[in-house]
Structure formats: C-alpha cells, structure tokens
C-alpha cells in the first residue's frame, strides 16, 4: 500500500495493526523530508519491536503461541542519473544510477546518524525516500535489547522450544560482505544495491556484543575512541574524568557525564544530579569508559587487553557505531638503539604479522597514513611536551610499526627476523596497532597510532618489573593527556574533512 507521508493514512494503518506485526507489502511510505523519514522509521520499527516483546512476555508466562515473526524496516531510493556533487566529500552521495536500500535498526541510537546521512543524500541527489517493511526477520534476542538475558527469564525447557516460535540470529545473513566488497556486481539496474556498510542484523549483533565485552550499553559510546592495553591508562582516565566533572580541570569544559562498566553514570556537578547505576564488581573482558558530550562527540576509552584477537574483536563491533576516529595508545618495544624508554612512536606505516585479518584484508593491501590523524597526534605531543619542530624529534619519531601475534617474539628473535625488521625500516613492535589500523581501513573509520617505548629487547633492555614501574610512573599520565588533546583537535577538524576519501572503494555505499 503506497502512501505519501503527508497523508494521515499511514498512522491510521499502523494503529489498525495493533497486536499484529507490520509485514512486507503492508505499507510503503513515500517521504520527501529527512526529518519526517526519521519519525516514520521509529514508528515502523517500534511497532514491530513492541509486537515481539508482547509475544515474548506471553510466551514466558506459558501462553500457547503460533510461530511469531516481525521484520526490520527498510529505506530505498532510486536515481536515474549521476548527479554532480561536492567531490571533496568521502560519502553522502550515490555513485551510480540505480536502486539502493538498506534495513534499519535502533533509531533510538542512530537517529542523529541516520538524519545526517539522509540529509546529505537529499542534498546531493534530490530524491524521495521509500520506507517499508523488509523480509528480514528481527531475531528475538535483538528485539529484547542488550540488557536482557533469556536464561534468566524462561526455563531451560522453554529455551529449547524458542527456535520453534521465534526467529533467532541467522549467521548466513550476518556478515561483512558489503564491507569487504564481496557482493556480486552482476545484475540489472533495478536490483537493489546497499545504502550502508552494515545490515540491521549485523548492527544488532554488534550492539549486543559491545554490551557483553565492555559492560556498558552502546548508547553511551562516543564518536572518538581510544584503545589501550594497560590498566594504568584507565586509572588515569578515571581520575581525569572525575576532575573534569568536578570542575577542577578547566581545560575540558564540554563534557557532561562519565560512564563506567555497569552503566554507572556520574554527572557534571553543575547538573546537580545524583549518580546512576552501580559499578561492576567484576570487570568484563574489555571494559569501556565514556566521557560524554551532549552531541556524542566525547571520548570512549576501552582497555582491550593484549593481542590482535582482542583488537579485531572490539573493532569489529565498534565499527557499527560509525565513530569519527579511533586511535591506539599503548606500549611497544623500541627497535632502534637511539630510542629511549618513554619515547613516542607515531605510526606512518604498519607491517602486519598479526594474522587475524588476512582472509578479510590481504597483507599486500597498504594501509595509508591519514594526514588529519597524524597532524593531530603530532600537535598533541608538542602541546603536552612543550617541544616543537626539530626539538620534537628528541622524544618522538615516525616510522613503521610491526604488529605480531607472538608475545614472546624476542625469545626466538634471530638474525633473519631482525634483518626483516631492518628491511621494513621498523621502529617499534606491538601486538594491536596494525590490527586496529587494518580494521579502521576496512570499516572506513579514520585511524592512528601513538605508542610509547617501554622496552628495547633487541638492545638488551627487557621489560622487567622494576623498570616497568618506574616507566609507568613517569610517562603514562602524559601519554593519555596527549591522546585526549588529539581527540579535541580532531573534533575541530569536522566530519567532512576527517572522513578521508582514501578509505572509500570504487563503488562505495552512500552512508558514512
């Protein structure tokens, strides 16, 4: 049933379907304005989500049910010609004539993001939007939200019968084919092509996983993300955030709240609000901390632990939030004899020996350094250290960072491996940076790395307990402050410049 948004028929139709799902073909809304599109997306999505939640409540009470299905909404546009656009932009336009569509989810989280994408598409292509219900079922796990644990709501016997009544996540359709460019390009002009990098089920899966791994809800994540691999950075971030909210640190005046694992929220003292939630007694695998701004352009810090597997896992899921930038702050082995403990390394290239993304992104693919990230990190080092220009070389150098999956690489380091590092002109070695950069490249998220030298195994300076303690006391506070200042500088750059055309493929999706 095709309806124009300005008609009241569409709201009447939704009201008439109370107690029933909206199904494919029930409604197709033709909408001109992005603001109206957001309103309608929320109405269609919430109707089907509430239907599934009502049915699950009945199921948990023991009511007999027939099989239950409700599907995601989709948005579709059609263009018949390629339009002239601002070619400085990396996204927000349709590259070729055709039909484009994507399923949508969680307008409560993605409202501002969706609005920004639709406004750009409208400006650049002057199209109307068609909104309807897809044939992609909403898995019951995703309909209940990331804080719901099915095991605590129903008996084991009911859990066994769940697949007979409700749709479950289907891993045949939850993948990264769009991101990796593995879609079959053969087809007619009327075959829909994707508008976004992620389908709704792929997004929902990651939102659930973020809650699991970080013990904070996805709505708290900010658009600038710092990854680290040591608790020392977390301790300093907590102290710094508490000082900001208490008004003691005047350098950071834009932040309004701080969220810790367990969704424990501390508000700025000017808001005169009591803390909410309780701190998590046992930390999750990769705890996240969020220094929030009203525009969501605050800073999220995640302690990802050690190793490329963790780095891939968390960036796989953070990517669906479409952050504006992510950087790695951590420790590394210095590979040059003229480096000192505590020196900084700014990555301008990566040698990938992490072996976790080879099937998604071959190691032969170069990872470009992004000028906006590099300049912000270098300027932040200069601001914090007080050194500039040539003097900055005393404590920082740029170069190739090697990322390995072998924590004990130095035990079996022999002449051949050392020669390989020398040929790569490597200056540092760690276990996460190239993985984070590679997934940033793959997911079109601006990335960067600033590491701090904590040992020099090739030159006999091993990371030993006494040395480490002294190093941490002297350098960790400054390193985190550099990362924070870099994020402030990147925020001023603006989205249109920060999201680089270097990260976009030949036939790119319109969404950021």
């Amino acid at each position: 049933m095709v309806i124009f948004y300005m008609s009241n028929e569409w709201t009447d139709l939704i009201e008439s379907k109370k107690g029933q799902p909206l199904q494919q073909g029930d409604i197709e809304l033709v909408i001109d304005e992005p603001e109206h599109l957001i309103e309608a997306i929320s109405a269609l999505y919430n109707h089907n989500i509430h239907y599934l939640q009502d049915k699950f409540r009945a199921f948990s009470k023991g009511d007999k049910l027939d099989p239950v299905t409700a599907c995601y909404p989709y948005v579709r546009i059609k263009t018949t010609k390629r339009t002239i656009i601002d070619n400085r932009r990396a996204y927000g336009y349709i590259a070729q004539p055709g039909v484009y569509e994507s399923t949508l989810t969680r307008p409560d989280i993605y409202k501002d993001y969706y609005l920004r994408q639709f406004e750009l598409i409208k400006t650049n292509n002057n199209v109307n939007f068609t909104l309807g219900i897809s044939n992609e079922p909403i898995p019951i796990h995703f309909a209940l939200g990331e804080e719901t644990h099915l095991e605590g709501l129903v008996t084991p016997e009911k859990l066994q019968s769940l697949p007979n009544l409700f749709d479950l996540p289907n891993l045949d359709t939850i993948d990264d084919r769009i991101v990796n460019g593995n879609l079959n390009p053969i087809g007619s002009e009327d075959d829909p092509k994707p508008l976004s990098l992620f389908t709704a089920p792929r997004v929902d899966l990651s939102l659930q996983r973020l809650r699991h791994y970080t013990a904070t809800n996805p709505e708290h994540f900010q658009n600038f993300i710092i990854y680290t691999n040591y608790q020392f950075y977390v301790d300093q971030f907590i102290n710094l955030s508490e000082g900001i909210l208490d008004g003691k640190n005047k350098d950071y005046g834009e932040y309004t709240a701080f969220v810790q694992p367990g969704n424990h929220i501390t508000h700025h003292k000017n808001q005169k609000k009591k803390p909410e939630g309780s701190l998590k007694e046992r930390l999750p695998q990769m705890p996240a901390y969020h220094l929030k701004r009203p525009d969501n352009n605050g800073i999220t810090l995640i302690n990802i632990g050690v190793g490329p597997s963790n780095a891939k896992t968390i960036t796989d899921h953070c990517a669906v939030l479409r952050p504006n930038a992510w950087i790695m702050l951590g420790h590394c082995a210095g590979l040059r004899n003229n480096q000192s403990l505590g020196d900084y390394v700014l990555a301008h290239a990566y040698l990938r020996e992490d072996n976790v993304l080879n099937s998604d992104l071959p190691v032969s693919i170069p990872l470009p350094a992004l000028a906006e990230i590099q300049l912000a990190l270098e300027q932040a080092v200069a601001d914090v250290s007080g050194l500039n220009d040539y003097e900055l070389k005393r404590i920082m150098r740029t170069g190739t960072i090697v990322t390995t999956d072998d924590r004990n690489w130095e035990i079996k380091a022999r002449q051949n491996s050392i020669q390989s590092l020398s040929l790569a002109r490597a200056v540092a070695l760690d276990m996460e940076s190239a993985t984070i950069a590679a997934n940033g490249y793959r997911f079109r998220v601006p990335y960067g790395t600033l590491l701090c030298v904590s040992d020099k195994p090739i030159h006999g300076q091993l990371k030993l307990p006494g040395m480490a303690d002294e190093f941490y006391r002297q350098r960790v506070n400054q390193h985190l402050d550099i990362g924070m200042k870099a994020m402030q500088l990147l925020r001023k750059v603006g989205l249109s410049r920060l999201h680089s055309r270097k990260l976009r493929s030949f036939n790119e999706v319109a969404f950021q």
Side-chain angles (χ1 to χ4, degrees):
M1 181 177 182
V2 179
I3 306 173
F4 285 92
Y5 174 85
M6 298 308 294
S7 164
N8 291 326
E9 291 181 84
W10 75 276
T11 53
D12 294 339
L13 176 62
I14 293 176
E15 184 63 28
S16 71
K17 299 285 286 187
K18 193 170 184 178
Q20 306 172 57
L22 286 167
Q23 298 176 331
Q24 188 178 28
D26 281 349
I27 184 171
E28 277 200 347
L29 274 171
V30 179
I31 303 175
D32 181 55
E33 293 297 328
E35 295 87 350
H36 298 157
L37 178 59
I38 298 299
E39 178 186 3
I41 289 169
S42 297
L44 269 59
Y45 175 82
N46 290 334
H47 178 92
N48 276 1
I49 288 294
H50 293 155
Y51 167 77
L52 289 173
Q53 292 173 346
D54 289 344
K55 290 299 181 182
F56 184 81
R57 278 192 288 269
F59 167 74
S60 64
K61 291 177 182 177
D63 295 356
K64 292 190 177 297
L65 300 177
D66 293 326
V68 175
T69 292
C71 295
Y72 291 102
Y74 72 85
V75 67
R76 178 188 301 142
I77 64 172
K78 183 175 182 178
T79 61
T80 56
K81 61 180 179 179
R82 182 177 180 182
T83 54
I84 299 174
I85 51 96
D86 182 349
N87 62 7
R88 295 171 298 178
R89 279 195 171 277
Y91 64 93
Y93 59 90
I94 304 301
Q96 299 293 336
V99 178
Y100 296 83
E101 71 176 41
S102 285
T103 49
L104 306 168
T105 188
R106 296 300 297 271
D108 57 317
I109 292 177
Y110 288 98
K111 176 183 177 181
D112 292 340
Y113 170 77
Y114 285 153
L115 181 60
R116 187 165 64 246
Q117 310 313 309
F118 294 137
E119 285 176 340
L120 284 172
I121 291 172
K122 181 67 178 179
T123 298
N124 289 323
N125 298 94
N126 194 28
V127 292
N128 288 333
F129 303 93
T130 300
L131 178 67
I133 300 296
S134 71
N135 61 358
E136 182 68 55
I138 304 174
I140 189 61
H141 301 72
F142 301 159
L144 298 179
E146 56 270 358
E147 291 199 74
T148 300
H149 301 282
L150 290 176
E151 295 81 355
L153 297 176
V154 296
T155 63
E157 293 75 22
K158 283 187 175 294
L159 272 180
Q160 289 185 344
S161 66
L162 200 69
N164 300 323
L165 296 174
F166 295 93
D167 292 297
L168 304 186
N170 180 5
L171 293 182
D172 289 335
T173 62
I174 300 177
D175 55 44
D176 284 333
R177 279 179 292 177
I178 304 172
V179 165
N180 291 342
N182 294 334
L183 291 178
N184 186 355
I186 300 174
S188 73
E189 191 173 286
D190 291 331
D191 289 337
K193 304 172 187 65
L195 262 178
S196 61
L197 292 171
F198 301 104
T199 63
R202 171 67 170 83
V203 171
D204 274 336
L205 174 68
S206 284
L207 296 182
Q208 294 268 346
R209 291 286 174 85
L210 285 174
R211 174 68 175 83
H212 169 74
Y213 285 119
T214 71
T216 53
N217 286 357
E219 62 262 27
H220 295 306
F221 279 73
Q222 300 296 288
N223 287 328
F224 294 89
I225 301 176
I226 297 174
Y227 300 108
T228 189
N229 52 6
Y230 282 96
Q231 181 64 32
F232 302 93
Y233 292 88
V234 173
D235 295 340
Q236 177 62 12
F237 190 65
I238 293 172
N239 292 337
L240 181 61
S241 298
E242 289 176 344
I244 291 169
L245 298 185
D246 200 35
K248 296 176 181 177
N249 193 327
K250 302 299 183 183
D251 293 335
Y252 302 89
E254 318 96 332
Y255 302 99
T256 57
F258 180 55
V259 181
Q260 300 183 64
N263 295 312
H264 176 68
I265 306 174
T266 304
H267 298 278
H268 195 284
K269 70 172 187 178
N270 291 344
Q271 296 182 340
K272 298 180 180 179
K273 292 182 180 179
K274 293 182 178 180
E276 301 176 43
S278 56
L279 288 170
K280 192 87 172 170
E281 291 184 8
R282 181 178 296 176
L283 288 178
Q285 184 175 347
M286 289 179 272
Y289 304 79
H290 314 279
L291 187 55
K292 300 182 67 173
R293 283 169 46 113
D295 59 3
N296 224 49
N297 283 328
I299 299 173
T300 286
L301 178 90
I302 308 176
N303 184 359
I304 65 175
V306 176
S309 180
N310 277 4
K312 177 185 182 299
T313 296
I314 198 64
T315 49
D316 278 348
H317 301 311
C318 284
V320 306
L321 298 171
R322 309 315 298 142
N324 293 330
W326 62 38
I327 64 173
M328 175 67 193
L329 291 183
H331 299 166
C332 64
L335 300 179
R336 301 303 182 97
N337 197 30
N338 60 357
Q339 289 173 300
S340 300
L341 299 187
D343 281 357
Y344 297 114
V345 178
L346 176 60
H348 76 181
Y350 301 87
L351 182 59
R352 292 171 51 204
E353 296 183 353
D354 51 334
N355 297 312
V356 293
L357 278 168
N358 296 2
S359 60
D360 293 305
L361 189 70
V363 294
S364 60
I365 303 300
L367 305 179
L370 305 180
E372 293 78 10
I373 305 287
Q374 300 296 97
L375 290 172
L377 285 169
E378 182 174 350
Q379 184 60 53
V381 175
D383 290 346
V384 172
S385 68
L387 302 175
N388 288 285
D389 300 326
Y390 194 60
E391 289 299 307
L392 196 59
K393 290 179 178 287
R394 293 185 183 277
I395 63 168
M396 187 188 78
R397 66 184 299 161
T398 60
T400 299
I401 288 179
V402 182
T403 293
T404 180
D405 57 1
D406 182 5
R407 176 59 191 87
N408 297 315
W409 65 274
E410 64 262 50
I411 293 177
K412 57 184 181 183
R414 297 293 183 267
Q415 189 58 42
N416 287 343
S417 60
I418 294 174
Q419 183 180 9
S420 175
L421 295 176
S422 179
L423 288 173
R425 305 298 191 261
V427 295
L429 184 147
D430 82 339
M431 297 189 68
E432 299 85 23
S433 293
T435 310
I436 289 169
N439 250 0
Y441 178 89
R442 192 164 71 99
F443 291 123
R444 290 77 159 169
V445 176
Y447 54 84
T449 299
L450 183 72
L451 301 179
C452 206
V453 175
S454 60
D455 59 333
K456 296 167 56 181
I458 291 178
H459 307 289
Q461 289 185 278
L462 302 178
K463 185 181 293 184
L464 300 174
M467 294 170 60
D469 289 345
E470 181 64 21
F471 164 72
Y472 294 140
R473 283 195 296 270
Q474 292 178 355
R475 288 294 189 177
V476 68
N477 293 2
Q478 189 182 65
H479 197 189
L480 179 66
D481 199 23
I482 290 169
M484 298 277 288
K485 289 186 181 299
M487 290 310 200
Q488 284 187 301
L489 292 170
L490 289 173
R491 191 161 57 231
K492 296 176 182 177
V493 168
L495 294 185
S496 58
R497 289 182 55 197
L498 187 54
H499 287 273
S500 174
R501 292 174 295 178
K502 293 179 183 178
L503 302 183
R504 311 300 281 192
S505 62
F506 290 169
N507 294 313
E508 193 57 75
V509 301
F511 280 22
Q512 172 193 316

